[in-house]
Amino acid sequence: MQGAPEILVVDDNPADAVLVRESLAETSHQSHIYSVTDATEALAYLRRQRKYQMTARPDLVILDLNLVHRDGHKFLTVIKSDSGLRQIPVVVFSSSESLSDITRSYLLGANCYVSKPADLKRYFSAVRAIEEFWFGYASLPKKENDERSSCARIAD
Amino acid sequence: MATVGISNPKSRLRLLLLEEHGIGEDPTVWEMDYDGGALPGDPRHTPEKLHKWLTSKKICPCEPRKMAETDLARKMEELSRSNRELEQFAYVASHDLREPLRMVATYTQLLAERYRGKLDRNADQYMEYATDGALRMQALIQDLLELSRVGREGGKKQSIDCDAVLEEVLRDMSSSIRDSGAIIQHEKLPAVTADRCYLLQLFQNLIGNAIKFRAKAPLEISVAAEAEGKYWRFTISDNGIGIAPDCQENIFTVFQRLHARTEYPGNGIGLAICKKIVEQYGGKIWVDSKPGTGSQFKFTLPAGQPCEQGAS
C-alpha cells in the first residue's frame, strides 16, 4: 500500500463518523478519514465532481445503510454497477442486524457486512479490525491515480 | 307488535326487526350503508310500515347468521390489524429506538473513558449512572425483541425429540452447570410437536433459572415427562430457593423480577418467553413451589411422532 489509506465514511449521523475517527485515531495505519452524510455527496466524492475534484479516490468505503430515505442500498447498487467505482471495497457498517438487510447488502455487491456493536469497546475493535483486515492483510486493486507508478513497475 | 333496534357501527347502519308475534322467532336484520339521511323516526314502527320504508330505500334484509359472519370477519380483520401494528412496533423498537440509544450508550461510555478522574468525584458517579442506565435499556429492548420474535416469526411445527434437545442444552450450559456443581438427571424424554429453536430456548431458560436460583445445598435438577392425553407434561424440578405462593403467577409476566438486580441478575424476561413458546403450541406452563424447598416447573406440549427406531 502506498501512502496512508483513504477511507470514505458514508453515515447520516455525524456522531458515528466521529466514532469511526476515534476508533482509528491511534492505529499504525494512520488512515485518512473523510466523511459525508448522504448518498449524493458520497457519489460526488467518489466521482470527483464539484468540490471533490482534487480529492483522492478512497481505498475503502464504510457505508451505513440507514441514510436519508434509507437509501444505503440504493447507493450500493449505484456504485456496484458503475464500472469505474465497483472495484472499491465497500464495508456495510450498520446498526441493523436483520437478516434481510445483510442478505440484500451482499446480493448488491457489498464486500463485507459488519453490525455496529452497541458497546463502545466492541465498536472500537470492530472498526480497527476492518481497517486491519483491509490494509494489513487484504490486497487491493490499483487506484487510477497510481496507474503511472504501477506501469513503471511493470516496465522494470 | 315489533321492536326495531338500530345500531350504527361506524358508517354501517343496521336495523334489527324483532318480530314478537306470529311471523317467526328469528329477527330480521336490515343492513345498509348509512349516508346520514333520514331514519324511519319512531323506533316502534309496525313491521309493515318499516318494510315499506326500507323497500322504498332499496334496502334488502340480511340473515342474522350472515350478520354474525360479517361481524366475525370484521373482528378478525381488526385482530390481524392490531397484530400487524404490534409487529410494526417491534420493528420500530428494533431499528428506530435502538439507534439513538446506541448513541447515548457509546458516548456516555466515551465520556467516562476520556474524563474519568478528570472532573470531580460526583461527575464520575453521574457518568457511571448514565452508562449503566443506557446499557440496561439496551438489554431490555433486546429482550423485548426476543419476546416479540416468538410467534411473529411463526415457529415451525415439527416432531422434535426432546431428549436430543435437552442433551444439546446441557452441552451448551456445561460450564455454568459445572460451576454450580449441579447434578442433573433426566428420564428418556418423548418427542413433541414444536420448533426446535424454541424448545432449546425453553429448556435453557428453565434449567438456567434452576441454576441461578439455587440454594446453599448441592443443586439437584431432574427432568421428567408424563403423557397427558394428546400432550406431554414435562416437569423440571429443583431444590433451589423456591417461590412464595403469592408470586407464583406473576413470574411469567414480562419484566417481573422477585429479587434485587444485585442479588440475581437478569431482566425478568426468561419465563415470559417460556410462556409464549408453550402457549403458541396450545400448551400451558405453571409452577409448584415451596420457598426453601424447591420448585417444580411444569409445562405441556402436544405430542410428536414417536421416535422411529431402525426405520429406513
Side-chain angles (χ1 to χ4, degrees):
Chain A
M1 179 107 246
Q2 292 187 321
E6 305 275 346
I7 300 175
L8 175 67
V9 176
V10 189
D11 199 313
D12 70 330
N13 183 359
D16 254 305
V18 170
L19 281 182
V20 171
R21 230 177 261 278
E22 289 282 349
S23 310
L24 302 181
E26 283 157 25
T27 64
S28 59
H29 294 286
Q30 298 185 303
S31 300
H32 292 157
I33 295 153
Y34 199 88
S35 57
V36 293
T37 53
D38 65 65
T40 319
E41 204 65 14
L43 276 177
Y45 186 99
L46 291 172
R47 291 177 172 153
R48 283 184 256 170
Q49 294 160 341
R50 303 201 312 254
K51 62 176 175 180
Y52 301 113
Q53 285 173 14
M54 301 305 288
T55 53
R57 180 156 289 179
D59 300 290
L60 181 73
V61 174
I62 294 182
L63 169 69
D64 176 29
L65 290 179
N66 208 17
L67 300 178
V68 187
H69 311 306
R70 270 188 77 74
D71 63 357
H73 283 301
K74 211 156 80 196
F75 173 75
L76 196 54
T77 313
V78 172
I79 57 172
K80 286 302 178 187
S81 48
D82 182 324
S83 59
L85 301 178
R86 74 162 73 112
Q87 73 273 28
I88 303 173
V90 176
V91 173
V92 174
F93 192 45
S94 165
S95 53
S96 163
E97 287 167 16
S98 96
L99 196 57
S100 67
D101 276 341
I102 295 168
T103 311
R104 195 152 161 239
S105 300
Y106 281 109
L107 282 174
L108 294 176
N111 300 79
C112 179
Y113 190 107
V114 179
S115 294
K116 284 177 186 167
D119 175 75
L120 182 71
K121 283 207 177 79
R122 287 186 47 78
Y123 190 104
F124 277 7
S125 68
V127 177
R128 285 174 192 150
I130 292 169
E131 185 194 47
E132 182 58 18
F133 173 76
W134 288 102
F135 302 113
Y137 292 92
S139 303
L140 297 174
K142 67 177 182 341
K143 287 206 279 188
E144 253 170 45
N145 44 355
D146 289 344
E147 232 156 302
R148 228 174 312 141
S149 58
S150 54
C151 286
R153 247 179 283 140
I154 292 164
D156 282 339
Chain B
M1 197 63 190
T3 313
V4 180
I6 298 173
S7 70
N8 181 18
K10 294 187 183 149
S11 65
R12 194 98 182 132
L13 175 75
R14 278 167 207 174
L15 300 168
L16 193 66
L17 183 61
L18 293 167
E19 306 197 275
E20 288 168 354
H21 300 291
I23 310 172
E25 284 181 9
D26 271 351
T28 308
V29 176
W30 304 75
E31 218 176 26
M32 62 184 279
D33 286 319
Y34 179 46
D35 58 359
L39 289 176
D42 183 1
R44 275 162 307 186
H45 270 298
T46 62
E48 293 75 27
K49 231 173 153 185
L50 184 67
H51 189 273
K52 212 171 152 197
W53 181 80
L54 289 163
T55 328
S56 77
K57 293 268 172 196
K58 296 200 176 98
I59 299 165
C60 306
C62 100
E63 295 293 320
R65 201 170 56 120
K66 204 174 151 213
M67 186 173 94
E69 276 167 9
T70 51
D71 245 5
L72 194 66
R74 214 164 283 156
K75 283 200 175 109
M76 290 289 282
E77 170 59 33
E78 220 155 86
L79 255 179
S80 73
R81 186 188 48 78
S82 86
N83 245 352
R84 276 198 303 276
E85 269 176 16
L86 266 176
E87 277 166 31
Q88 190 61 27
F89 173 78
Y91 186 84
V92 168
S94 73
H95 293 260
D96 299 358
L97 279 184
R98 265 185 342 158
E99 192 51 25
L101 185 58
R102 188 174 60 78
M103 280 298 114
V104 175
T106 38
Y107 272 95
T108 46
Q109 280 177 285
L110 189 60
L111 262 179
E113 197 169 278
R114 291 283 156 82
Y115 298 98
R116 186 173 294 125
K118 290 181 185 159
L119 306 169
D120 61 20
R121 209 191 299 157
N122 278 342
D124 284 358
Q125 184 86 76
Y126 298 164
M127 285 189 288
E128 213 169 282
Y129 289 154
T131 312
D132 184 54
L135 292 180
R136 216 159 62 206
M137 188 154 162
Q138 273 177 336
L140 287 175
I141 288 185
Q142 195 59 40
D143 283 349
L144 267 184
L145 275 172
E146 192 86 14
L147 183 70
S148 79
R149 222 168 268 146
V150 176
R152 185 160 51 99
E153 285 175 5
K156 293 185 200 122
K157 281 189 179 177
Q158 287 173 329
S159 183
I160 306 288
D161 175 18
C162 287
D163 229 30
V165 168
L166 183 62
E167 287 300 337
E168 192 173 335
V169 167
L170 297 181
R171 239 190 343 267
D172 285 348
M173 302 180 77
S174 59
S175 71
S176 64
I177 291 171
R178 206 177 37 242
D179 292 348
S180 66
I183 295 166
I184 301 180
Q185 290 179 319
H186 69 95
E187 314 174 339
K188 175 109 185 86
L189 297 179
V192 296
T193 304
D195 184 299
R196 201 176 147 274
C197 294
Y198 287 170
L199 283 178
L200 283 169
Q201 206 170 3
L202 180 63
F203 279 105
Q204 187 166 332
N205 286 356
L206 291 174
I207 289 173
N209 272 356
I211 292 175
K212 196 201 281 185
F213 299 104
R214 61 182 184 269
K216 283 200 178 111
L219 176 60
E220 286 172 28
I221 302 171
S222 68
V223 184
E226 238 178 290
E228 198 181 88
K230 286 180 180 168
Y231 282 72
W232 283 99
R233 190 179 71 229
F234 290 78
T235 307
I236 297 182
S237 317
D238 65 56
N239 58 346
I241 59 172
I243 303 152
D246 56 337
C247 299
Q248 290 178 8
E249 203 152 311
N250 283 345
I251 55 172
F252 296 99
T253 314
V254 67
F255 297 146
Q256 227 9 275
R257 309 179 71 263
L258 303 182
H259 307 275
R261 209 174 287 278
T262 45
E263 246 182 308
Y264 295 97
N267 291 327
I269 195 96
L271 289 174
I273 289 178
C274 289
K275 184 168 189 260
K276 210 166 166 195
I277 291 173
V278 168
E279 286 180 351
Q280 198 185 347
Y281 296 99
K284 277 187 205 149
I285 185 165
W286 67 100
V287 67
D288 291 333
S289 180
K290 241 185 180 169
T293 313
S295 304
Q296 290 190 314
F297 278 90
K298 298 183 181 186
F299 62 88
T300 56
L301 281 175
Q305 305 289 326
C307 290
E308 293 167 33
Q309 286 183 339
S312 60

